Amino acid sequence: MRSVNDWFDSYSADHQNPTNRLIHWICVPAILWAAIAFLWLIPVPASIGRAGLWCGLVMVAVLAFYWRLSRPLGAAMIVLFVLLALLTEAAYRSLGPSGLMWLAIAVFVAAWIGQFIGHLIEGRRPSFFTDLQYLLIGPAWLMGKFMRRVGVAY
C-alpha cells in the first residue's frame, strides 16, 4: 500500500492552481456530505436497524483505509465523519427522506460542476480518472492540510 505522503504528493501534483485548490476546499466536503446523504437514504429493514445503518458500515470500511494510511489522519477523519453523520441525521429528521434526497442531489451536482471547473482552470484532469482511490484521497488530503495548519502531524 502506498504511504500517505505518496498519495498526497501525487494528488497535490494535480492541484497546483490556487483557484482549483480553493474550489476543492468547498466542493470536496460538499461531495463527501452528499455521498453520505445518499448512503443514509438506502432503506434499512426495521428489524436490523434504522436510517443511516448502511452509511455507518461504509464509513467504517472507509475509515479503515484512512487508519491504515495514518492513525492521526484516521482519527481526524473519524471526527469529520461523525460531524457529517450528525448533520445528515439532522437533515433527515428535518427534511425527511425525499427532501434530503433532493438536497443531496443538488449539492452533489453543483459540487461536481465546481470540481470540473476547477480542473478546467488547472488544466489537468481530476486524479480519480487515473485511480478511483483518489475519490477517498481528496477528503484526506484536505484534512491533512488542515492538520498541518493547526500543527498536528499526520
Side-chain angles (χ1 to χ4, degrees), residues 14-27:
D14 291 334
H15 302 85
Q16 295 297 308
N17 183 285
T19 302
N20 187 29
R21 285 182 179 222
L22 175 62
I23 289 170
H24 275 63
W25 276 101
I26 297 164
C27 293

Side-chain angles (χ1 to χ4, degrees), residues 70-82:
S70 158
R71 289 191 178 171
L73 179 66
M77 294 303 290
I78 288 170
V79 172
L80 176 62
F81 276 27
V82 167

